[in-house]
Amino acid sequence: MAISSFRNATVRHDTGPSGSTRTPSADPSVGELVGEISDDLARLVRSEIDLAKAEIKEEASRAGKAAGMLGGAGYAGHLVLLLGSLAAVFGLAHLVDLAWAALIVTAFWALVGAALFLTGRKRMRDVHVKPERTTETLKEDARWARSRTN
């Protein structure tokens, strides 16, 4: 469900606390007014909670994708490290001593691993756990409520 649909939820102002339709000419009682306010407030809180849930789900999805990329990079790096390093060590062993060949290959894969780590960390920083839009709409609701009571 789209997040914007939670903000655009229809709030019915033409019904009483029990859901019955009032006639425009009838003066509502204090109890009816309090009931309407209570219903509107409950509806508002429910819509804000639904919006927060949708935002958190969206951010969790982004975090999951970033974590999957980090995991995939780790697995691929591990395989490459094992198989490629073995081949590279034996290939370099024709030019330098076997121990130096192993050290050169290890240093190379350390650089590759650092690059993958930095990329994954950067993507994780783009994930926002705090539901920004919900926070903003709650502030708007509070401003609206304060202006209505003054």
Side-chain angles (χ1 to χ4, degrees), residues 66-147:
M69 287 182 184
L70 287 174
Y75 181 71
H78 178 71
L79 289 178
V80 169
L81 182 68
L82 291 175
L83 301 174
S85 295
L86 186 60
V89 166
F90 286 119
L92 281 174
H94 293 294
L95 302 174
V96 295
D97 185 48
L98 187 61
W100 282 109
L103 186 62
I104 291 169
V105 171
T106 301
F108 173 76
W109 289 121
L111 292 174
V112 170
L116 289 172
F117 172 77
L118 292 174
T119 302
R121 186 176 68 174
K122 180 182 176 191
R123 288 190 181 185
M124 281 301 252
R125 286 183 178 163
D126 290 338
V127 175
H128 303 287
V129 178
K130 179 181 167 188
E132 299 289 336
R133 289 174 282 195
T134 302
T135 303
E136 185 58 35
T137 59
L138 286 172
K139 289 177 184 176
E140 288 174 14
D141 294 342
R143 285 191 297 266
W144 177 83
R146 278 193 298 268
S147 71

Side-chain angles (χ1 to χ4, degrees), residues 9-61:
T10 304
V11 178
R12 294 175 47 197
H13 293 286
D14 61 339
T15 60
S18 64
S20 61
T21 306
R22 287 184 301 156
T23 59
S25 62
D27 277 340
S29 69
V30 173
E32 287 176 331
L33 289 175
V34 169
E36 281 185 39
I37 291 170
S38 174
D39 289 344
D40 288 346
L41 184 59
R43 217 174 288 118
L44 176 65
V45 168
R46 277 193 300 274
S47 74
E48 293 296 341
I49 289 171
D50 290 342
L51 178 61
K53 285 180 185 178
E55 274 190 89
I56 290 171
K57 183 178 179 180
E58 184 178 309
E59 288 300 317
S61 173

